[in-house]
Amino acid sequence: MTATPPPVVADLAGAPTAALAVRAEGRGRGPRLSPRAAFLVRRLGRLLVSLAVVVVASFFLIHLVPGDPVRAALGIQASPELVAATRAELGLDKPLPQQFFDYVAHLLRGDFGESIRTGRSVSETIGQRFPATVTLGVLSFLLALVAAVPLGIGAAVALQRPGRKVADALISGVLGMLIAVPGFLLAVGLIALFAVQLKWLPAAGWGKPEDAVLPVLALALGPLAYLARIVQVEMSGVLGATYMTTARAKRLPGRLVYLRHALPNIITASLTVSGLLLSGMIAGTVLIETVFAIPGMGGVMVPAVGAKDYPIVQGLVVVYALIILGVNLVVDLILVTVDPRSSITEG
């Protein structure tokens, strides 16, 4: 009599399980992003989140300012009926949450609305004044960057020579004074000296090359001094490094030693700080434009805040935020290119 073989029972802990695990693992794995692409995605996500926070904050904060924008626009002689009709036409009679959702819906379509005071399109107003603001900010940034790097390197080299204490006190005093003086006060001082006393440059206006000299100086000197100080500190640490001693021992020209061996090792910190400075300088154009009567976005922002012109203020805040966040994104991408190890692996 032949014995009947036992039924085959699948070994749940054996090959079928392994196959299932392999298939599950294969399903879990999708197309993976490269480190640079993942870095860009993270940065874009942060930019969108930051922009959303700015939109929410600017909308509700401007509504906390006391006063009636419709009454301010129509004047104290306007009848209550006209004020109520205008408020309803602008949608200001709706509950605040409903106003916010309406504002976001228009914003997503690229519509900033119309000014309560003038009735002009906010996009048109910003478009006319945007070039002056950007030109002032970019020129000031270029001056600060171009002058700060050689000044910082020169200051670090000077502190390596005899008389270090005197040089350190002089350099630190001048840079510290420029950093500490507010931009608007520096602007007033420049006007008093070069426009009123010496009569070399105009005190206000925009359009001619000489009109830009004093505003650019007023906006650039503080960041220039701050960046020069950063470069000086970084350069002082680099000058004592072993590879710098080796480069000097080879009797290489000083220009080659500093540009080829020293500058690449301080560029990361300089780029990081310069990106932050450019963001601050773009925002700082508001006061400088007011002082020098420059037809930029700052000249619209100040009276709009006082009059509670919601669409103008909110539109300008969004534009300023986009500029600042865009600058930071560009700086991050440059840092990835210059030094991938310190940027791409960052969360």
Side-chain angles (χ1 to χ4, degrees):
M1 182 175 181
T2 305
T4 303
V8 178
V9 180
D11 184 5
L12 297 178
T17 303
L20 289 173
V22 171
R23 286 196 294 270
E25 184 180 1
R27 286 195 299 269
R29 288 181 180 176
R32 305 183 68 177
L33 295 174
S34 66
R36 290 179 184 272
F39 176 83
L40 179 59
V41 169
R42 290 196 301 269
R43 285 296 185 267
L44 287 174
R46 293 182 183 181
L47 185 149
L48 293 176
V49 171
S50 300
L51 185 60
V53 171
V54 169
V55 169
V56 174
S58 64
F59 179 87
F60 287 101
L61 287 178
I62 187 61
H63 282 78
L64 293 177
V65 178
D68 185 355
V70 176
R71 175 65 69 180
L74 297 179
I76 59 175
Q77 301 297 331
S79 64
E81 293 78 9
L82 178 60
V83 172
T86 305
R87 186 176 290 110
E89 180 182 354
L90 296 173
L92 298 179
D93 59 335
K94 299 178 181 178
L96 195 58
Q98 183 61 46
Q99 293 183 42
F100 174 73
F101 288 123
D102 292 343
Y103 167 67
V104 172
H106 286 83
L107 190 62
L108 292 176
R109 297 196 298 265
D111 181 12
F112 289 97
E114 296 179 351
S115 170
I116 296 176
R117 294 181 302 156
T118 64
R120 293 184 58 192
S121 168
V122 175
S123 300
E124 180 183 350
T125 302
I126 294 176
Q128 291 178 348
R129 294 176 173 265
F130 183 81
T133 297
V134 172
T135 301
L136 175 61
V138 171
L139 288 177
S140 303
F141 173 73
L142 291 177
L143 174 61
L145 184 62
V146 170
V149 173
L151 282 176
I153 294 176
V157 173
L159 294 179
Q160 304 295 315
R161 298 173 180 173
R164 173 176 178 175
K165 292 184 178 180
V166 176
D168 189 17
L170 181 61
I171 293 171
S172 299
V174 173
L175 295 181
M177 179 191 67
L178 291 176
I179 295 172
V181 175
F184 71 91
L185 186 59
L186 189 59
V188 173
L190 291 173
I191 291 174
L193 177 60
F194 293 103
V196 178
Q197 295 295 329
L198 300 178
K199 302 185 184 302
W200 289 354
L201 296 166
W206 190 256
K208 300 177 182 178
E210 58 268 23
D211 293 336
V213 175
L214 292 183
V216 168
L217 284 176
L219 189 59
L221 285 178
L224 188 158
Y226 185 80
L227 183 56
R229 186 64 173 170
I230 296 296
V231 173
Q232 176 202 336
V233 172
E234 292 290 323
M235 192 67 181
S236 298
V238 168
L239 289 176
T242 304
Y243 61 86
M244 290 295 294
T245 304
T246 303
R248 285 192 291 263
K250 293 180 180 179
R251 298 182 181 276
L252 296 175
R255 176 177 54 85
L256 189 61
V257 171
Y258 296 131
L259 293 181
R260 177 176 296 181
H261 297 277
L263 187 59
N265 290 281
I266 66 172
I267 195 66
T268 300
S270 301
L271 282 174
T272 303
V273 174
S274 64
L276 298 175
L277 290 178
L278 178 56
S279 301
M281 292 167 74
I282 292 293
T285 56
V286 174
L287 289 176
I288 299 300
E289 288 172 359
T290 303
V291 173
F292 288 97
I294 297 175
M297 294 190 296
V300 180
M301 172 70 85
V302 176
V305 172
K308 292 191 64 176
D309 196 338
Y310 299 148
I312 288 287
V313 175
Q314 291 163 183
L316 288 173
V317 169
V318 170
V319 171
Y320 276 117
L322 281 173
I323 294 174
I324 293 172
L325 293 172
V327 167
N328 290 331
L329 178 61
V330 171
V331 171
D332 286 340
L333 295 178
I334 294 175
L335 288 174
V336 167
T337 304
V338 173
D339 189 3
R341 294 172 300 174
S342 63
S343 301
I344 291 182
T345 57
E346 180 186 353

